[in-house]
Protein backbone atom coordinates (compact mmCIF):
# COMPACT_ATOMS: atom_id res chain seq x y z
CA UNK A 1 0.00 0.00 0.00
CA UNK A 2 1.30 3.44 -0.89
CA UNK A 3 1.18 6.26 1.61
CA UNK A 4 2.60 9.67 2.38
CA UNK A 5 4.33 9.93 5.74
CA UNK A 6 2.97 13.22 6.99
CA UNK A 7 0.12 14.57 9.06
CA UNK A 8 -2.46 16.94 7.70
CA UNK A 9 -4.17 19.51 9.86
CA UNK A 10 -7.03 21.70 8.64
CA UNK A 11 -8.60 21.21 5.25
CA UNK A 12 -6.57 22.95 2.55
CA UNK A 13 -6.83 23.07 -1.21
CA UNK A 14 -5.65 20.42 -3.62
CA UNK A 15 -3.23 21.60 -6.30
CA UNK A 16 -3.20 19.32 -9.35
CA UNK A 17 -0.35 19.71 -11.85
CA UNK A 18 -0.48 17.74 -15.08
CA UNK A 19 1.66 17.78 -18.19
CA UNK A 20 4.00 15.80 -20.41
CA UNK A 21 7.46 14.50 -19.50
CA UNK A 22 10.11 17.17 -19.14
CA UNK A 23 7.67 20.05 -18.65
CA UNK A 24 8.95 20.79 -15.14
CA UNK A 25 6.05 19.42 -13.12
CA UNK A 26 8.19 17.86 -10.40
CA UNK A 27 10.25 20.99 -9.85
CA UNK A 28 7.18 23.22 -9.72
CA UNK A 29 5.33 20.86 -7.38
CA UNK A 30 8.28 20.71 -4.98
CA UNK A 31 8.59 24.50 -4.84
CA UNK A 32 4.86 25.01 -4.30
CA UNK A 33 4.69 22.35 -1.60
CA UNK A 34 7.57 24.02 0.22
CA UNK A 35 5.99 27.48 -0.02
CA UNK A 36 2.57 26.45 1.27
CA UNK A 37 3.81 23.72 3.61
CA UNK A 38 1.82 21.17 1.64
CA UNK A 39 2.62 17.54 0.96
CA UNK A 40 4.16 16.90 -2.45
CA UNK A 41 2.77 13.63 -3.79
CA UNK A 42 4.85 12.54 -6.79
CA UNK A 43 2.74 10.13 -8.79
CA UNK A 44 5.59 9.51 -11.23
CA UNK A 45 7.77 8.29 -8.37
CA UNK A 46 5.08 5.79 -7.45
CA UNK A 47 5.00 4.35 -10.96
CA UNK A 48 8.80 4.28 -11.10
CA UNK A 49 8.95 2.43 -7.78
CA UNK A 50 6.56 -0.21 -9.07
CA UNK A 51 8.49 -0.47 -12.33
CA UNK A 52 11.74 -0.90 -10.41
CA UNK A 53 10.29 -3.74 -8.35
CA UNK A 54 8.97 -5.43 -11.49
CA UNK A 55 12.40 -5.18 -13.10
CA UNK A 56 14.07 -6.64 -10.03
CA UNK A 57 11.86 -9.70 -9.74
CA UNK A 58 11.32 -10.27 -13.44
CA UNK A 59 7.66 -9.33 -13.93
CA UNK A 60 6.99 -8.42 -17.55
CA UNK A 61 6.23 -4.74 -18.10
CA UNK A 62 3.60 -5.87 -20.61
CA UNK A 63 1.65 -8.01 -18.13
CA UNK A 64 -0.92 -5.70 -16.58
CA UNK A 65 -2.48 -8.35 -14.35
CA UNK A 66 0.79 -9.39 -12.76
CA UNK A 67 1.86 -5.77 -12.34
CA UNK A 68 -1.42 -4.90 -10.60
CA UNK A 69 -1.00 -7.90 -8.30
CA UNK A 70 2.56 -6.80 -7.59
CA UNK A 71 1.33 -3.30 -6.71
CA UNK A 72 -1.10 -4.72 -4.16
CA UNK A 73 1.79 -6.55 -2.50
CA UNK A 74 4.03 -3.48 -2.40
CA UNK A 75 4.52 -0.66 0.08
CA UNK A 76 5.44 2.66 -1.52
CA UNK A 77 6.05 5.57 0.84
CA UNK A 78 6.79 9.22 0.08
CA UNK A 79 8.75 10.78 2.92
CA UNK A 80 8.96 14.61 2.79
CA UNK A 81 12.22 16.32 3.70
CA UNK A 82 13.80 19.71 2.86
CA UNK A 83 15.66 18.32 -0.16
CA UNK A 84 12.52 16.74 -1.59
CA UNK A 85 10.68 13.48 -1.07
CA UNK A 86 12.53 10.29 -0.35
CA UNK A 87 10.89 7.23 -1.83
CA UNK A 88 10.78 4.02 0.14
CA UNK A 89 9.93 0.76 -1.59
CA UNK A 90 9.07 -1.96 0.91
CA UNK A 91 11.12 -0.03 3.46
CA UNK A 92 14.21 0.50 1.27
CA UNK A 93 15.22 3.98 0.09
CA UNK A 94 15.22 3.82 -3.72
CA UNK A 95 15.16 7.58 -4.38
CA UNK A 96 18.43 7.72 -6.32
CA UNK A 97 17.75 4.58 -8.35
CA UNK A 98 14.41 5.94 -9.52
CA UNK A 99 16.17 8.74 -11.39
CA UNK A 100 17.81 6.29 -13.80
CA UNK A 101 16.68 6.39 -17.41
CA UNK A 102 15.90 2.68 -17.54
CA UNK A 103 13.49 3.02 -14.62
CA UNK A 104 11.87 6.10 -16.16
CA UNK A 105 11.36 4.26 -19.44
CA UNK A 106 9.96 1.20 -17.62
CA UNK A 107 7.54 3.36 -15.62
CA UNK A 108 6.07 4.75 -18.83
CA UNK A 109 5.30 1.21 -19.97
CA UNK A 110 3.88 0.20 -16.60
CA UNK A 111 1.56 3.20 -16.49
CA UNK A 112 -0.39 2.26 -19.63
CA UNK A 113 -2.12 -0.70 -17.96
CA UNK A 114 -5.67 0.21 -16.81
CA UNK A 115 -5.63 -2.09 -13.77
CA UNK A 116 -2.32 -0.63 -12.58
CA UNK A 117 -3.63 2.91 -13.00
CA UNK A 118 -6.82 2.03 -11.13
CA UNK A 119 -4.78 0.86 -8.15
CA UNK A 120 -2.56 3.93 -8.28
CA UNK A 121 -5.49 6.32 -8.54
CA UNK A 122 -7.18 4.73 -5.53
CA UNK A 123 -3.98 5.05 -3.50
CA UNK A 124 -3.42 8.64 -4.59
CA UNK A 125 -6.97 9.63 -3.69
CA UNK A 126 -6.50 8.17 -0.24
CA UNK A 127 -3.21 10.01 0.22
CA UNK A 128 -4.75 13.35 -0.70
CA UNK A 129 -8.21 12.95 0.80
CA UNK A 130 -7.69 15.67 3.41
CA UNK A 131 -6.29 18.28 1.03
CA UNK A 132 -3.17 20.30 1.68
CA UNK A 133 -1.35 18.57 -1.15
CA UNK A 134 0.40 19.30 -4.42
CA UNK A 135 0.07 16.33 -6.75
CA UNK A 136 1.71 16.14 -10.16
CA UNK A 137 1.28 13.61 -12.90
CA UNK A 138 -0.60 13.13 -16.15
CA UNK A 139 -4.20 12.61 -15.08
CA UNK A 140 -4.48 14.32 -11.70
CA UNK A 141 -6.95 17.01 -12.73
CA UNK A 142 -8.97 14.68 -14.94
CA UNK A 143 -9.05 11.36 -13.04
CA UNK A 144 -7.43 11.43 -9.62
CA UNK A 145 -8.74 14.75 -8.31
CA UNK A 146 -11.24 16.15 -10.82
CA UNK A 147 -12.59 18.29 -7.95
CA UNK A 148 -9.18 19.87 -7.20
CA UNK A 149 -9.46 23.55 -6.39
CA UNK A 150 -6.39 24.43 -8.48
CA UNK A 151 -5.59 22.69 -11.77
CA UNK A 152 -2.50 23.51 -13.79
CA UNK A 153 -1.47 21.93 -17.08
CA UNK A 154 2.24 22.62 -17.55
CA UNK A 155 3.52 22.25 -21.09
CA UNK A 156 6.46 23.20 -23.30
CA UNK A 157 7.68 22.53 -26.82
CA UNK A 158 9.06 18.98 -27.23
CA UNK A 159 12.54 20.25 -28.12
CA UNK A 160 12.71 22.34 -24.96
CA UNK A 161 11.49 19.47 -22.81
CA UNK A 162 14.00 17.11 -24.41
CA UNK A 163 16.86 19.47 -23.66
CA UNK A 164 15.74 19.89 -20.06
CA UNK A 165 15.49 16.14 -19.59
CA UNK A 166 18.93 15.60 -21.13
CA UNK A 167 20.47 18.23 -18.86
CA UNK A 168 19.20 16.39 -15.79
CA UNK A 169 21.87 13.76 -16.47
CA UNK A 170 24.39 15.31 -18.93
CA UNK A 171 27.09 12.83 -17.94
CA UNK A 172 25.07 9.89 -19.24
CA UNK A 173 26.02 8.15 -22.46
CA UNK A 174 22.67 8.96 -24.05
CA UNK A 175 22.78 11.59 -26.75
CA UNK A 176 20.37 14.51 -26.63
CA UNK A 177 18.69 13.41 -29.88
CA UNK A 178 17.91 9.98 -28.46
CA UNK A 179 16.53 11.54 -25.29
CA UNK A 180 14.22 13.69 -27.42
CA UNK A 181 13.14 10.66 -29.46
CA UNK A 182 12.26 8.71 -26.32
CA UNK A 183 10.40 11.69 -24.89
CA UNK A 184 8.34 12.00 -28.07
CA UNK A 185 7.58 8.28 -27.97
CA UNK A 186 6.48 8.63 -24.37
CA UNK A 187 4.30 11.60 -25.32
CA UNK A 188 2.62 9.43 -27.92
CA UNK A 189 1.97 6.64 -25.42
CA UNK A 190 0.66 9.04 -22.79
CA UNK A 191 -1.64 10.96 -25.13
CA UNK A 192 -3.11 7.95 -26.93
CA UNK A 193 -3.54 5.35 -24.19
CA UNK A 194 -7.11 4.14 -23.72
CA UNK A 195 -7.15 4.68 -19.95
CA UNK A 196 -6.63 8.22 -18.62
CA UNK A 197 -4.87 9.77 -21.62
CA UNK A 198 -2.81 12.91 -21.13
CA UNK A 199 -5.17 15.84 -21.76
CA UNK A 200 -5.75 19.12 -19.91
CA UNK A 201 -8.78 19.17 -17.65
CA UNK A 202 -11.53 21.38 -19.03
CA UNK A 203 -11.04 23.85 -16.17
CA UNK A 204 -7.24 23.67 -15.99
CA UNK A 205 -5.06 26.72 -16.49
CA UNK A 206 -2.49 25.95 -19.18
CA UNK A 207 0.99 27.34 -18.56
CA UNK A 208 3.34 27.04 -21.53
CA UNK A 209 6.86 27.26 -20.13
CA UNK A 210 8.66 27.17 -23.49
CA UNK A 211 9.76 30.80 -23.17
CA UNK A 212 9.34 31.24 -19.43
CA UNK A 213 11.90 31.03 -16.66
CA UNK A 214 11.25 28.85 -13.64
CA UNK A 215 10.64 31.97 -11.55
CA UNK A 216 8.00 33.14 -14.00
CA UNK A 217 6.23 29.78 -13.98
CA UNK A 218 6.34 29.70 -10.19
CA UNK A 219 4.97 33.24 -9.91
CA UNK A 220 2.05 32.38 -12.18
CA UNK A 221 1.23 29.25 -10.19
CA UNK A 222 1.40 31.12 -6.88
CA UNK A 223 -0.94 33.75 -8.27
CA UNK A 224 -3.49 31.06 -9.17
CA UNK A 225 -3.25 29.35 -5.79
CA UNK A 226 -3.48 32.58 -3.77
CA UNK A 227 -6.63 33.61 -5.62
CA UNK A 228 -8.21 30.22 -4.95
CA UNK A 229 -7.19 30.24 -1.29
CA UNK A 230 -8.80 33.66 -0.88
CA UNK A 231 -12.00 32.36 -2.47
CA UNK A 232 -12.06 29.30 -0.21
CA UNK A 233 -11.48 31.44 2.86
CA UNK A 234 -14.27 33.81 1.87
CA UNK A 235 -16.67 30.95 1.22
CA UNK A 236 -15.92 29.30 4.56
CA UNK A 237 -15.83 32.54 6.53
Amino acid sequence: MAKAKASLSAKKVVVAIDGPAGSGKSTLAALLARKYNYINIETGAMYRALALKAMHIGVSLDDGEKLAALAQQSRIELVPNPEGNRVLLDGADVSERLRSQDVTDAASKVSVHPNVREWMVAEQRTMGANGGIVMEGRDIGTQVFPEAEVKIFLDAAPEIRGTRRFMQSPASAAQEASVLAELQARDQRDRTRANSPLVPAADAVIIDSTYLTLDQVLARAIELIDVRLAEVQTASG
Side-chain angles (χ1 to χ4, degrees), residues 151-175:
K151 298 180 186 178
I152 296 170
F153 191 89
L154 187 60
D155 205 351
E159 296 78 8
I160 298 298
R161 292 188 284 113
T163 298
R164 291 172 181 169
R165 180 56 55 89
F166 176 74
M167 291 305 295
Q168 289 176 354
S169 55
S172 70
Q175 297 299 310

Side-chain angles (χ1 to χ4, degrees), residues 28-95:
L28 178 61
L31 292 172
L32 291 174
R34 189 177 307 157
K35 172 176 173 56
Y36 292 97
N37 194 30
Y38 279 14
I39 296 174
N40 177 19
I41 299 180
E42 300 174 271
T43 61
M46 295 171 65
Y47 283 104
R48 289 193 293 273
L50 178 60
L52 176 62
K53 186 169 183 177
M55 293 165 64
H56 276 177
I57 66 176
V59 173
S60 171
L61 302 179
D62 297 320
D63 193 328
E65 290 188 7
K66 288 186 178 180
L67 288 169
L70 183 65
Q72 295 172 11
Q73 301 164 11
S74 303
R75 189 172 80 257
I76 303 170
E77 301 169 271
L78 306 179
V79 185
N81 66 54
E83 291 74 36
N85 288 338
R86 307 301 295 175
V87 183
L88 304 183
L89 175 60
D90 297 330
D93 190 335
V94 294
S95 307

